[in-house]
C-alpha cells in the first residue's frame, strides 16, 4: 500500500512541476508578446517620422525648383535688358565708342 502512495506522491510532484513549467512558459510568452507589441509601436513611430521627413524633403525640393526657375527668369530678363540697352545704344550714334566696347565684350 505504501508503494502505491509513494508512486501517487511522485505523480503529484511531477504534475506540479509540469504546471510550474507551464506557468513559466506562459509568463515568458506574455513577456515576448509585450516586447513584440512595443517593437511594433516603435516601428510605427519611425515610419510616421520617415513619412514626415519625406514630405519635408519633397516640399524643400519643390521650393528649390521654384527658386531655380525664378532665378533663371531673372537672368533671362537681365540678359534681355542688356541686349535692349545695347540696341538702344546702337540707335544713338553719340555713344558709338561705348557701343564698340560693349560689342567687343559680348562678341569675344
Amino acid at each position: 500500500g505504501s508503494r502505491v502512495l509513494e508512486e501517487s506522491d511522485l505523480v503529484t510532484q511531477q504534475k506540479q512541476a509540469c504546471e510550474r513549467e507551464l506557468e513559466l512558459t506562459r509568463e515568458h510568452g506574455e513577456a515576448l508578446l509585450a516586447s513584440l507589441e512595443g517593437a511594433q509601436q516603435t516601428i510605427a513611430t519611425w515610419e510616421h517620422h520617415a513619412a514626415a521627413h519625406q514630405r519635408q524633403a519633397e516640399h524643400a525640393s519643390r521650393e528649390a525648383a521654384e527658386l531655380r526657375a525664378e532665378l533663371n527668369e531673372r537672368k533671362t530678363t537681365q540678359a534681355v535688358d542688356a541686349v535692349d540697352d545695347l540696341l538702344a545704344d546702337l540707335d544713338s550714334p553719340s555713344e558709338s565708342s561705348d557701343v564698340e566696347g560693349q560689342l567687343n565684350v559680348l562678341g569675344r
Side-chain angles (χ1 to χ4, degrees):
S2 68
R3 182 170 211 176
V4 172
L5 196 61
E6 281 178 19
E7 285 180 6
S8 175
D9 283 349
L10 190 62
V11 167
T12 301
Q13 287 174 355
Q14 287 177 336
K15 183 180 172 199
Q16 288 173 341
C18 285
E19 286 172 350
R20 279 196 301 272
E21 186 78 25
L22 184 62
E23 185 60 29
L24 287 174
T25 302
R26 186 179 295 121
E27 287 173 7
H28 184 62
E30 287 171 358
L32 282 175
L33 194 60
S35 174
L36 178 62
E37 286 170 358
Q40 287 174 329
Q41 285 180 334
T42 301
I43 289 169
T45 300
W46 281 108
E47 285 174 342
H48 178 75
H49 285 312
H53 285 302
Q54 178 74 28
R55 285 191 300 275
Q56 288 174 340
E58 288 168 357
H59 180 69
S61 180
R62 276 194 305 274
E63 279 192 340
E66 289 169 11
L67 287 172
R68 198 175 298 116
E70 191 178 319
L71 184 62
N72 287 337
E73 199 176 303
R74 283 188 193 167
K75 284 181 184 173
T76 302
T77 302
Q78 288 173 346
V80 168
D81 289 347
V83 170
D84 285 345
D85 291 346
L86 186 60
L87 291 174
D89 288 347
L90 284 173
D91 288 341
S92 63
S94 64
E95 300 176 11
S96 62
S97 62
D98 186 36
V99 171
E100 286 173 13
Q102 286 182 325
L103 283 174
N104 286 337
V105 169
L106 285 176
R108 294 180 192 135

